Amino acid sequence: MNIRTLIVSAAIGGLCLSAPAFAQVDAEEIFKENDCHKCHHPTKAKKGPSLAKIAAKYKEKKLDEKEAIKHMTAGKKVELDDGTKEDHKIIDTKDVAVQTAVAKWMLNR
Amino acid sequence: MKKTALFLGVSVIVAGCASVATGPQAIDWNKIPATKVALFYPGQSSYQWLRSEAHAGAAKETARGDSCTSCHDDPKEEQRQGAKILRGNHPLEPHAAALKGKNGHIDMTVQAAYDDKNAYLRFQYKTHNPNHPGNDYPGYRFDGKEWKAYGGMRLNKNVLAGKTGIVYENRLNIMLDDGKVPGFAQQGCWLTCHDGERDMQKEASKAEVEANALLKAIKKSDVRKYIPASRSDPMDWKTGKPLDEIAKLKASGQFLELMQWRAHRSDKVGGADDGYVLEYRNFDKGSNHFASNMDGKTKQPKFMFDPAKFGAKAFAASDYGGKKELILVKGVNAVPFDPNAGWKEGDILPQYVLSAADAKGSAADNKAVSSWKDGVQTVVFIRPLGLANDDDKALKPGGVYNVGFAIHDDNMTGRGHHVSYTKTLGIGAKADITAVKLN
């Protein structure tokens, strides 16, 4: 085995190790583990807007998952239906890959 | 199985059958619809915690009276919440390390039927321990001089300190409201679970209890379940209302029915507790199916086992968790305690003695039959319809009731149970659980 083959094999091996790790992200489960579902229902308005409404708004404003990640990590004040404001919960992961998976899952509702 | 155990089992089954007539045994439960109810481990999620900022994003909504399930509405909610609380880093369970391996939730099936006399509520669930029915109970152990309490539930301070054994009976509880307790339909059992209660946050000290006017008036030595209306400030257990106001609440129906099947203290005599929650977790008037086995004057047990029936006059700590049923029943295997029977250190006698005949009054309204096989517990409660006692909620055909369920499993009592969100029970009326009229 020459050095080039070794490098390519290592790279493929690395991909094989990291790809399943990414693929194993269960975005819906992480969304619920973080209790996001308590405020955001797929279709109904709860304390927060439904996922369908969020997705439609992002589509309309041509926003992507990066904006959604900002929203779930910044802990900014959000205005509720009754006019009161409170801090938005921050997702309990700093892993950008996981945050991206959750954001994409939300915006595809 | 030893002859003594067989004798006890047969005797008790006969006694149980006699007391419940032809009720649940005659029902073909295969024809009764089954409703799945999930219960989860709530840790120390008290009325106060739910209204605090720690209940992230839901304090205001809970205080407003929103239902738990207005947020907790995912099909796997109970599974998820129970697992999170027991995971080890959750503020609602400071003793998670001692509970390693405990199941976060329990899946239960509920069936209901009724005839002209009774409602029959049947429950089935897997016990965490597949090898024991959970019918052991703490005892009195002879230390060579005195009889002292032995054993406790998993969260008991002496158990956690390694000073005594892990022993407690399994229980299945039903809390029921006929619509008269504000908030129960929305928040169920969590209305009754408060800081200051046993093993909860800010557990009341002996001095605090002794200084409290209400607890002093009702002669209680700890804080137990109460409904918010029994306090002038429901956030503070110390603010109990005067007894005349408590009596008015009771007269207006502001209390919760509490029925409890106990694997040790009621099962073998075919009974189930009949109690209610108002200013405290009370028993109904009359006598329970079980009574203390300690003579307050002599500081010795009142009854011991009949060696001819039980095989010995007492048992040892090593017998807990075994195949022998360590249950003392009057008229079956109990005889008056003999202080000169040659007691040796380590002898243990049960803390309670059971008797179906001694159960009287409103406290004896409920019956139950049960079985435990292959790790599956089955319990059928038999509740007479139309009870008129002032400490009962009357079940009537056409009525719909709010109910919450709790399972105390794997040596747990107090807060160490699994609980359900509120469901509705209809006696021949449409509800989450509908009792079917029997022909």
Side-chain angles (χ1 to χ4, degrees):
Chain A
M1 185 184 290
N2 62 31
I3 191 75
R4 186 174 173 176
T5 309
L6 194 64
I7 291 168
V8 170
S9 301
I12 293 169
L15 280 175
C16 290
L17 287 173
S18 60
F22 180 77
Q24 282 170 9
V25 172
D26 184 338
E28 182 177 359
E29 189 58 27
I30 290 164
F31 180 83
K32 291 177 177 175
E33 268 291 307
N34 277 273
D35 290 333
C36 308
H37 66 293
K38 291 183 193 168
C39 295
H40 300 292
H41 186 270
T43 54
K44 290 187 296 185
K46 290 171 84 175
K47 188 173 177 179
S50 70
L51 295 181
K53 190 173 177 182
I54 293 170
K57 180 181 160 188
Y58 272 58
K59 194 173 181 183
E60 183 192 330
K61 296 192 172 183
K62 294 190 169 52
L63 299 170
D64 60 12
E65 64 267 18
K66 287 176 185 165
E67 182 65 23
I69 290 171
K70 271 191 213 168
H71 199 72
M72 64 175 82
T73 57
K76 286 184 179 175
K77 292 274 183 203
V78 288
E79 187 168 340
L80 307 177
D81 283 349
D82 62 4
T84 60
K85 289 182 179 181
E86 66 179 49
D87 296 336
H88 191 274
K89 192 175 175 183
I90 297 172
I91 192 168
D92 188 23
T93 176
K94 289 187 167 62
D95 188 329
V96 176
V98 175
Q99 292 171 355
T100 303
V102 173
K104 283 187 172 175
W105 176 84
M106 286 174 59
L107 298 177
N108 282 324
R109 295 304 91 202
Chain B
M1 185 184 283
K2 286 189 177 180
K3 281 183 182 176
T4 48
L6 184 65
F7 173 81
L8 175 60
V10 171
S11 303
V12 165
I13 288 167
V14 169
C17 290
S19 64
V20 298
T22 55
Q25 291 91 341
I27 298 171
D28 182 355
W29 289 103
N30 292 319
K31 293 181 178 173
I32 307 295
T35 303
K36 290 188 176 179
V37 176
L39 300 91
F40 71 101
Y41 187 80
Q44 295 177 322
S45 53
S46 64
Y47 182 93
Q48 288 72 19
W49 184 88
L50 294 166
R51 286 156 179 77
S52 75
E53 289 305 313
H55 190 197
K60 182 181 69 181
E61 289 73 12
T62 309
R64 187 171 67 195
D66 289 9
S67 70
C68 303
T69 52
S70 65
C71 292
H72 295 276
D73 59 350
D74 187 73
K76 290 184 179 174
E77 196 65 35
E78 294 88 350
Q79 189 175 331
R80 189 172 289 108
Q81 295 303 331
K84 278 168 79 170
I85 290 169
L86 284 168
R87 196 158 52 197
N89 56 354
H90 200 288
L92 287 178
E93 186 44 80
H95 300 301
L99 302 176
K100 197 174 179 184
K102 184 167 181 61
N103 48 333
H105 80 288
I106 295 175
D107 293 316
M108 180 169 77
T109 57
V110 186
Q111 295 168 283
Y114 71 106
D115 57 22
D116 293 336
K117 291 181 178 175
N118 300 308
Y120 306 94
L121 306 174
R122 183 175 189 258
F123 303 87
Q124 279 194 308
Y125 59 93
K126 283 184 185 172
T127 53
H128 190 52
N129 185 344
N131 303 312
H132 194 270
N135 59 2
D136 287 344
Y137 193 85
Y140 290 120
R141 180 183 178 277
F142 189 62
D143 68 1
K145 291 180 181 175
E146 297 175 281
W147 292 88
K148 293 179 178 171
Y150 176 88
M153 70 129 168
R154 289 188 182 279
L155 298 173
N156 176 286
K157 290 174 183 68
N158 287 332
V159 168
L160 291 171
K163 293 178 182 173
T164 193
I166 298 171
V167 185
Y168 213 84
E169 68 181 346
N170 286 354
R171 299 210 306 267
L172 172 60
N173 302 349
I174 308 166
M175 205 180 278
L176 181 144
D177 162 53
D178 56 0
K180 292 183 177 172
V181 174
F184 191 85
Q186 291 77 30
Q187 298 175 0
C189 303
W190 279 270
L191 279 192
T192 70
C193 188
H194 299 268
D195 286 356
E197 292 174 5
R198 296 178 301 169
D199 299 311
M200 294 295 286
Q201 292 179 21
K202 301 173 189 170
E203 182 175 352
S205 68
K206 192 180 171 197
E208 286 175 318
V209 171
E210 286 173 353
N212 185 260
L214 174 61
L215 295 177
K216 201 172 176 181
I218 60 175
K219 297 176 184 169
K220 301 297 181 187
S221 59
D222 57 17
V223 184
R224 297 197 189 180
K225 294 181 191 304
Y226 63 85
I227 61 168
S230 69
R231 268 40 178 196
S232 55
D233 174 6
M235 294 291 277
D236 186 355
W237 67 265
K238 293 175 186 159
T239 64
K241 290 181 179 173
L243 289 185
D244 59 338
E245 287 189 43
I246 300 284
K248 282 179 191 167
L249 288 170
K250 190 178 174 190
S252 68
Q254 281 204 58
F255 63 88
L256 299 163
E257 183 71 43
L258 178 61
M259 297 180 263
Q260 303 191 68
W261 167 85
R262 299 170 184 268
H264 180 96
R265 287 183 282 176
S266 70
D267 180 65
K268 293 299 166 192
V269 289
D273 293 12
D274 192 359
Y276 68 99
V277 177
L278 202 173
E279 83 287 10
Y280 195 79
R281 196 201 75 186
N282 299 297
F283 289 117
D284 284 6
K285 279 182 208 144
S287 303
N288 287 320
H289 296 85
F290 57 91
S292 172
N293 189 33
M294 178 55 69
D295 187 321
K297 287 180 184 171
T298 64
K299 307 293 181 194
Q300 291 183 327
K302 294 176 181 172
F303 292 90
M304 62 183 199
F305 287 108
D306 180 347
K309 307 278 178 60
F310 185 72
K313 60 183 183 294
F315 60 89
S318 57
D319 290 321
Y320 280 127
K323 290 185 177 176
K324 198 169 183 177
E325 292 186 323
L326 312 174
I327 304 172
L328 193 58
V329 186
K330 279 188 190 176
V332 177
N333 64 359
V335 291
F337 179 77
D338 177 3
N340 302 311
W343 299 103
K344 62 181 189 304
E345 183 181 349
D347 282 341
I348 296 179
L349 286 170
Q351 288 191 1
Y352 288 91
V353 60
L354 282 56
S355 170
D358 288 353
K360 288 186 172 68
S362 184
D365 286 332
N366 298 324
K367 307 296 178 214
V369 288
S370 80
S371 65
W372 180 84
K373 190 181 177 190
D374 300 329
V376 175
Q377 181 68 61
T378 303
V379 180
V380 182
F381 282 80
I382 303 134
R383 169 81 171 182
L385 297 178
L387 287 171
N389 305 309
D390 66 359
D391 45 19
D392 282 321
K393 294 288 181 186
L395 298 185
K396 295 173 182 171
V400 177
Y401 307 88
N402 305 305
V403 288
F405 305 111
I407 293 173
H408 293 77
D409 179 50
D410 195 26
N411 301 291
M412 280 294 203
T413 184
R415 71 172 180 85
H417 51 9
H418 293 78
V419 290
S420 76
Y421 291 122
T422 319
K423 304 290 175 189
T424 53
L425 167 68
I427 307 298
K430 194 177 177 186
D432 295 332
I433 302 154
T434 297
V436 176
K437 179 78 195 285
L438 299 169
N439 294 322

